[in-house]
Amino acid sequence: MKLLFTPGPLTTSKTVKAAMQVDLGSRDTEFMQVVREIRSELLALGGVTQQDGYEAVLMQGAGTFGIESVISSAIPKDGRLILLVNGAYGERMAKIAEIHGISTQIIRFGEDEITDPEIVRDALNGGNYTHLGVVHCETTTGIFNPVTEIGALCAEFGVTYIVDSMSAFGAVPLNLTTSHIDFLVSSANKCIEGVPGFSFILCKHSKLMAAEGQSRTLSLDLHAQWFGLESKGQFRFTPPTHTLLAFRQALRELAAEGGLEKRAERYQSNFLTLLKGMEKMGFIPYLPKDRRGYIINSFLYPSSSAFDFERFYNLLNERGFAIYPGKLSQVDCFRIGNIGQLKKKHIRGLLEAISEVKAIMGF
Ligand SMILES: *Cc1c(COP(=O)(O)O)cnc(C)c1O
């Protein structure tokens, strides 16, 4: 078995995989119950309920489909979007907005800088924006953006707030109400440790209702998707039935682990064990200490000419460890994810393999 030190798909438990060994029809009452349970559990993880005025919508496809669903459904024709970008996933939001012809202002920060609320305040002061988008954990580097502070600004300026919390939700404490989030997007195969196949959107009921009839696509229409789930308990198009079964199991395992706080502790411990071991071997983390999250570690390429990422990757892969290439525009980096069914012994195993490979390559 290969261990995935990546930000998704990631290493899942045997029991999550086993939960998929059942064929259920999309109109099966058991299946509809699974969907109901998932939707209500997801709201609970965001600290809210339907009674508080929040909704959970499940959307087929990868995480990006969920982001595109929100951007192409929630912003009206005359809307004005401001995007805070400090990595590849922020750039992806910008690309989506551009494709849909949405009027967009992009505020770019360095990939090693957080999206500074002071700069955001100035930008909101100067423009007539209706929507703001930001990435919670920018998986490009692992940096955490100050989503709650930015949410307070959105509330102050009356701007609808969209958060890509793909790689953080379920393992980084976040409350939709206190962070003033109107649309939060995450997916099945990140911190909740399910298998790929759908994304989910947690959103304010009133903002969702405002999106009725204004989607720029058929299949990613957020309001129509919600309406199908809410009125008939069904997806509009073929649901990822097996993925949903696996996800319900993953949610139960998250609860059994002790919930979000315990999962956050395990990831933090993975992160620190890995960081310490890598620094001991001379690897240098990309981000300064005060800006590192704990979802993924990014390291600079060693300066030695004996280092070649392809070879490094392949030698680790042969030993059963899959790491992740970098995605930075300026600097050569590689990444090691701390999420998924990974425990301290797995991190130690990876560190041993890296030490061995380092000796073989001679850097
Ligand atoms: C994983 C991820 C996505 C979505 O990626 P997909 O490949 O579409 O699932 C989006 N944003 C962030 C921050 C991510 O980590």
Side-chain angles (χ1 to χ4, degrees), residues 101-244:
I102 293 163
S103 162
T104 306
Q105 175 71 42
I106 301 167
I107 309 287
R108 285 198 173 82
F109 299 83
E111 287 168 324
D112 58 350
E113 289 170 1
I114 60 157
T115 54
D116 183 349
E118 280 314 307
I119 295 174
V120 177
R121 170 180 286 282
D122 289 345
L124 286 175
N125 248 325
N128 216 351
Y129 301 106
T130 57
H131 292 70
L132 179 146
V134 71
V135 179
H136 186 185
C137 168
E138 206 4 301
T139 322
T140 310
T141 55
I143 205 165
F144 279 4
N145 282 314
V147 287
T148 300
E149 285 88 330
I150 292 167
L153 290 172
C154 288
E156 185 184 332
F157 286 86
V159 170
T160 297
Y161 190 27
I162 301 168
V163 178
D164 169 353
S165 188
M166 208 70 67
S167 60
F169 187 76
V172 180
L174 186 67
N175 179 294
L176 269 80
T177 308
T178 53
S179 296
H180 302 283
I181 298 171
D182 297 302
F183 296 92
L184 176 146
V185 187
S186 185
S187 78
N189 60 279
K190 301 258 174 161
C191 298
I192 298 172
E193 303 186 353
V195 305
F198 70 94
S199 59
F200 53 86
I201 296 101
L202 307 185
C203 54
K204 245 200 171 128
H205 179 84
S206 56
K207 302 278 177 166
L208 180 64
M209 292 307 111
E212 183 174 3
Q214 69 184 17
S215 173
R216 293 160 181 82
T217 76
L218 172 74
S219 56
L220 298 176
D221 185 332
L222 186 63
H223 181 275
Q225 184 84 352
W226 167 80
F227 189 75
L229 289 169
E230 193 63 20
S231 61
K232 302 193 206 91
Q234 282 170 23
F235 285 75
R236 292 177 302 150
F237 311 114
T238 305
T241 46
H242 299 82
T243 299
L244 288 156

Side-chain angles (χ1 to χ4, degrees), residues 34-51:
V34 170
V35 173
R36 252 197 307 277
E37 183 178 330
I38 288 173
R39 291 176 66 213
S40 105
E41 282 299 311
L42 286 175
L43 287 176
L45 273 176
V48 294
T49 63
Q50 226 177 3
Q51 287 69 42

